[in-house]
Amino acid sequence: FGKAVYTGLLGGVAAGEAVRRARIAARLDNDPSWLAYQLYAHPGACMLRDRTRSQRTSQKLKAILNLRQRTTDDSSWRNPYLGWVAEHPHYTGEALVPLAGRAEMKGLDYTAIYVEPGGPRDAVRVELFKDLTDAIRQHKSVVLLGDSGAGKTATLYRVLCDFARSCLDGESDTPTPILVSLDEYRSTDTPLEFIRTRCVDTALKGRLDAELEARRICLLCDGLNDVPQNGYLKAVREWRGFISTYAGNRFVFACRTASYQNELHLQTVEINPLDDERIVRYLSIVVDDKAGALWESLQNSSLVELARMPLFLKWMVQSYVASGGLIPKHQALLVKGLVEAMIRREKEKGAYDALPLDKMGPALADCAYQMHSSGEGSTLGYDRALRSFSQAIPPAPSSAAAESE
């Protein structure tokens, strides 16, 4: 089919006729899929053999159409904010490689699919996405699920930057992206005021209500599982009401898989582990010509499966660079090296001269243990954390005792 259709097109045959001839050629060749082939083009379109270069513009087609169909609404007010987002190193530096994901679509019409007699009554179709940004564009409101370190925050950063650049490219139908972190959400907050107080742009803050009413906002909420447990159910009800009130905007919530029980009643999209191709792409971007050697070292180590989690892969690269080409033998050494590097960095800054930083490792380890054993996710009460540090770090002597010494 491919050979026949391109022969026709290059010979000046119209697209519709070229497809018809190619299907006949495939059928005569006893190819049972002859009718399945398609070509997306105007049936009367022809290729011009004397044209060596197509006439292009520097703008995307969608931007040109938007210029022709521009209404009285002027969205140029958001350009300074969008430019700040698109160039901010904190957001652009994390989202280096697009992550893949999957979404289970339930509640399908049974006439659309075949169900085995006597099979389950709840039909499920799985959608696969090579880039999670596509999933968010397709499903206006989603909950992004993944384990700790799976790349949820990095994906939100990528969506934030992609939407900002699309707006700057003239795609006026792309909503303005806003990123908030729900670990700061308290029982006294309301969603609208919580968002408003975290708008970094004055113009956006002033127009927030109007933009929500006009359905021109894409709200990215990181860390649903980090909302304090003592007010979690109340917070979820408030956010569910907010989504309903401002339906038509886009809402993306990121949450750890084990912590989510469908409280928001939104479509879920689960992040896939990094495959080999994505790992190599990431290494090529970060360590350039050393990517091959590092990938070979990972394949021959016990860390290769752990490297499929973006956060751990990032730590491995940092360890590899800092050690001059070595990787830890196992996960415990990887985390230990990371903590020691962070402590050294703080010590060199001189920000905590009064603290015995060599005692910080055990204190942090105890905090981590208490955090996991309490079953409260990634939060730990102040009093409990204080006990962990008090046990590892002795209190400073009083001023009178210090003077006597």
Side-chain angles (χ1 to χ4, degrees), residues 151-207:
K152 301 182 293 296
T153 300
T155 298
L156 294 184
Y157 287 173
R158 185 178 187 86
V159 174
L160 182 72
C161 292
D162 283 356
F163 273 49
R165 293 188 185 110
S166 295
C167 294
L168 291 171
D169 283 342
E171 297 183 20
S172 59
D173 58 337
T174 300
T176 303
I178 301 175
L179 176 67
V180 297
S181 183
L182 294 180
D183 64 345
E184 301 172 347
Y185 193 82
R186 297 295 178 263
S187 58
T188 55
D189 289 322
T190 62
L192 182 59
E193 290 309 311
F194 178 79
I195 299 166
R196 193 192 314 278
T197 57
R198 281 152 184 80
C199 286
V200 298
D201 183 76
T202 304
L204 177 58
K205 184 180 295 187
R207 300 179 62 120

Side-chain angles (χ1 to χ4, degrees), residues 8-9 33 60 70 75 87 101 169 208 217 249 271 339 345:
L9 290 172
S33 63
K60 294 182 178 180
R70 186 177 298 277
S75 59
E87 300 298 329
D169 283 342
L208 180 61
I217 294 294
N249 294 281
I271 300 176
V339 172
R345 182 188 65 191

Side-chain angles (χ1 to χ4, degrees), residues 112-319:
I113 60 175
Y114 175 72
V115 181
E116 287 286 350
R121 298 298 298 166
D122 189 16
V124 176
R125 176 170 60 90
V126 176
E127 274 189 295
L128 303 179
F129 298 95
K130 293 183 178 180
D131 188 337
L132 288 172
T133 305
D134 297 333
I136 292 168
R137 288 183 180 274
Q138 179 173 325
H139 303 283
K140 283 196 170 184
S141 296
V142 302
V143 177
L144 194 63
L145 299 177
D147 293 331
S148 179
K152 301 182 293 296
T153 300
T155 298
L156 294 184
Y157 287 173
R158 185 178 187 86
V159 174
L160 182 72
C161 292
D162 283 356
F163 273 49
R165 293 188 185 110
S166 295
C167 294
L168 291 171
D169 283 342
E171 297 183 20
S172 59
D173 58 337
T174 300
T176 303
I178 301 175
L179 176 67
V180 297
S181 183
L182 294 180
D183 64 345
E184 301 172 347
Y185 193 82
R186 297 295 178 263
S187 58
T188 55
D189 289 322
T190 62
L192 182 59
E193 290 309 311
F194 178 79
I195 299 166
R196 193 192 314 278
T197 57
R198 281 152 184 80
C199 286
V200 298
D201 183 76
T202 304
L204 177 58
K205 184 180 295 187
R207 300 179 62 120
L208 180 61
D209 298 76
E211 292 300 297
L212 284 167
E213 292 289 349
R215 297 177 292 184
R216 290 195 292 252
I217 294 294
C218 175
L219 183 64
L220 308 170
C221 300
D222 196 15
L224 178 62
N225 52 278
D226 291 329
V227 174
Q229 291 298 306
N230 57 2
Y232 179 77
L233 294 179
K234 176 178 177 291
V236 167
R237 287 194 298 270
E238 291 170 347
W239 282 104
R240 208 163 49 218
F242 182 79
I243 294 169
S244 176
T245 301
Y246 295 103
N249 294 281
R250 293 181 184 269
F251 300 96
V252 183
F253 291 81
C255 185
R256 288 183 185 170
T257 304
S259 302
Y260 187 67
Q261 303 297 325
N262 196 32
E263 299 95 323
L264 291 175
H265 306 162
L266 300 177
Q267 174 64 51
T268 58
V269 179
E270 189 152 6
I271 300 176
N272 290 343
L274 291 171
D275 54 24
D276 291 359
E277 187 264 343
R278 282 179 169 80
I279 293 177
V280 173
R281 282 175 61 187
Y282 177 84
L283 297 179
S284 299
I285 295 171
V286 178
V287 296
D288 198 17
D289 58 340
K290 298 184 179 69
L294 176 51
W295 175 230
E296 184 177 354
S297 298
L298 286 174
Q299 287 181 302
N300 295 326
S301 74
S302 62
L303 297 176
V304 64
E305 291 306 314
L306 194 63
R308 304 196 184 282
M309 301 291 282
L311 179 61
F312 283 100
L313 179 60
K314 178 182 177 180
W315 290 353
M316 291 175 198
V317 171
Q318 291 175 349
S319 176

